[in-house]
Amino acid sequence: MQYIIDSADTKAIRRCIEFFPVAGVTTNPTIISREKADFKALIAEIRSIIGPDRMLHIQTTSDVAEDIVKEAEELKKIAGGDFYIKIPVSAEGLKAISILKGKGIKVTATAIFTQQQAMLAALAGADYVAPYINRLDNIVSDGVHVVEEIVELFKKHSISCKVLAASFKNVEQVHKVAMVGCPAVTINPELFDQLIYHPLTLYAVDAFTADWEMVYGDKKILDLLGE
Ligand code: E4P
């Protein structure tokens, strides 16, 4: 399973890369705008933090196929490394996906809310489809169930496109999409910390430390081995 950072905050990305097993970064126009930064410099900085081998997904701001294709080609040059253009599902978007497929540029079809949007994007040539879990939950449409059915459809029809679930607000949503076989999730940096947080873990570690210190004081194993 792939865990991806849904952020353009370079400080947060740097920290996630240092501590978590991260497969890449996804952005969208909202996430990029939040940084109020020079666009090209921001993309270059994100790439230098994550290195060439991790995925970098950047969303198009155009809505006509030919412009999306041009944007993707230019963005690929700036982003370098393992680059994906994110394209919202629309008729123009599907056309752009199939043109880009022919040009060898990898695509993530985004803003997916239904199983059939995912199917058509996959058949057009998308490498990933990104259904929006929390936004589906907010309209009582069961984001996890939508992901489950997309995963099942791709399996039944031998489609190699992968599901990259997006728009998460809590750990339970992430866990449930993992349980239905979703191969990739993109989550905000705060959620990475929530995924490993448990008060009983902190309690257990405090108890181990207290027991150890009763006998060895503040010396660590490395101090003892060096004596
Ligand atoms: C990622 O690809 C999506 O753009 C993003 O996860 C949407 O998340 P939101 O619903 O929290 O804005």
Side-chain angles (χ1 to χ4, degrees), residues 39-174:
F39 175 72
K40 280 165 79 172
L42 181 62
I43 297 304
E45 190 178 352
I46 294 173
R47 174 55 77 199
S48 81
I49 296 168
I50 68 175
D53 298 335
R54 289 190 179 88
M55 296 182 282
L56 178 52
H57 302 239
I58 304 172
Q59 192 163 323
T60 182
T61 53
S62 296
D63 48 18
V64 174
E66 286 69 23
D67 295 340
I68 297 172
V69 170
K70 274 187 218 147
E71 245 182 32
E73 288 174 324
E74 291 308 309
L75 275 172
K76 187 175 161 60
K77 291 181 203 154
I78 296 165
D82 195 11
F83 167 72
Y84 289 75
I85 182 77
K86 280 176 73 187
I87 303 177
V89 271
S90 64
E92 294 283 344
L94 293 183
K95 180 178 170 186
I97 291 171
S98 66
I99 296 171
L100 287 164
K101 169 110 181 143
K103 290 175 178 280
I105 294 182
K106 292 189 273 192
V107 176
T108 295
T110 193
I112 301 269
F113 285 79
T114 74
Q115 297 83 336
Q116 287 303 311
Q117 288 176 323
M119 274 294 270
L120 289 178
L123 293 176
D127 298 278
Y128 284 98
V129 290
Y132 285 8
I133 311 312
N134 196 63
R135 295 192 197 196
L136 279 159
D137 288 353
N138 281 345
I139 54 166
V140 204
S141 290
D142 197 346
V144 174
H145 181 67
V146 172
V147 168
E148 183 174 22
E149 290 205 347
I150 298 172
V151 169
E152 215 176 302
L153 275 172
F154 286 0
K155 205 169 159 191
K156 278 186 180 154
H157 295 272
S158 306
I159 291 170
S160 61
C161 178
K162 289 195 235 167
V163 183
L164 195 185
S167 176
F168 289 99
K169 288 294 166 281
N170 59 58
V171 171
E172 183 167 16
Q173 291 167 330
V174 176

Side-chain angles (χ1 to χ4, degrees), residues 2-22:
Q2 295 174 310
Y3 286 79
I4 300 167
I5 312 166
D6 200 23
S7 175
D9 175 341
T10 52
K11 203 171 152 205
I13 293 171
R14 207 180 289 280
R15 181 176 173 276
C16 283
I17 294 286
E18 181 177 359
F19 294 106
F20 297 98
V22 166

